[in-house]
Amino acid sequence: APKAISWESRLDREAYLERFDRIQKHIRQGDIYEMNFCREYFAEGAEIDPWFAFQAIQKRTQAPFSAFWRWEEEYLLCASPERYLRKEAQRVISQPIKGTAARSNDEPEDLRLKEALRNSRKERGENVLFCWLRPCAESVLMWSAPAGADPCLNKPTKSTAA
């Protein structure tokens, strides 16, 4: 049986709250509109097979947009229900689920869901954010693997403008 892994946060509670307060201040001042603030967790000395872990995540989450990336001896594993950005040649595609709502076959319920979506400050904010994304897409920095390379096994050589 695999040995249990003890996860630790890179930020203690005090540092997390301090950064959260700074983010809130920047939002109130209008410096930023929205931020995805993540906490990194790590496990020193853990022995795992990254590919096996990725496959287990895939099996459990069934996430349609996932990535397994190796850079030397560091790995990035992610699983997401939405595509934030994808670059195809000179075209940038975004398929977010933010600012959306489920539909209903029951007309009164469908109208209620529509109004709830229309009146949600959070969902409206996310819709506005993605409307701003369109004209900015040309300047988004994206990494492209060299022709014929497997991005799961090769490190990036440089960032290139879309």
Side-chain angles (χ1 to χ4, degrees):
K3 189 172 105 178
I5 297 173
S6 177
W7 294 99
E8 297 178 53
S9 174
R10 295 249 187 241
L11 293 176
D12 62 23
R13 180 174 171 76
E14 186 176 311
Y16 174 83
L17 292 173
E18 186 274 328
R19 289 185 185 177
F20 184 83
D21 287 344
R22 277 195 304 173
I23 292 167
Q24 290 292 307
K25 180 181 173 189
H26 283 291
I27 291 172
R28 284 191 300 274
Q29 291 175 338
D31 301 328
I32 59 175
Y33 186 76
E34 183 173 289
M35 175 180 272
N36 183 2
F37 178 44
C38 301
R39 289 177 71 176
E40 178 185 359
Y41 287 84
F42 69 99
E44 288 292 336
E47 293 184 26
I48 64 170
D49 176 335
W51 181 245
F52 179 81
F54 177 72
Q55 289 175 315
I57 291 168
Q58 281 297 98
K59 185 175 181 181
R60 183 172 183 174
T61 66
Q62 302 285 309
F65 303 107
S66 303
F68 177 91
W69 188 43
R70 177 181 177 189
W71 185 356
E72 297 174 359
E73 292 306 312
E74 295 185 20
Y75 298 85
L76 171 72
L77 288 64
C78 69
S80 177
E82 67 182 328
R83 173 183 289 148
Y84 186 67
L85 291 175
R86 176 179 178 171
K87 180 180 179 233
E88 290 180 358
Q90 295 302 310
R91 188 171 157 207
V92 177
I93 300 166
S94 178
Q95 294 173 310
I97 59 175
K98 292 168 173 41
T100 63
R103 300 293 306 264
S104 174
N105 290 329
D106 178 61
E107 191 172 337
E109 175 65 7
D110 196 49
L111 288 172
R112 189 193 67 71
L113 292 169
K114 181 179 177 180
E115 282 305 306
L117 178 61
R118 179 178 289 142
N119 296 322
S120 169
R121 288 180 66 198
K122 175 191 174 293
E123 300 297 344
R124 179 161 177 76
E126 290 176 347
N127 275 320
V128 168
L129 178 68
F130 280 96
C131 288
W132 287 349
L133 175 65
R134 283 186 183 267
C136 299
E138 292 297 318
S139 64
V140 172
L141 292 178
M142 303 287 287
W143 170 72
S144 298
D150 182 347
C152 295
L153 303 175
N154 294 285
K155 63 183 182 180
T157 55
K158 65 179 180 176
S159 292
T160 56

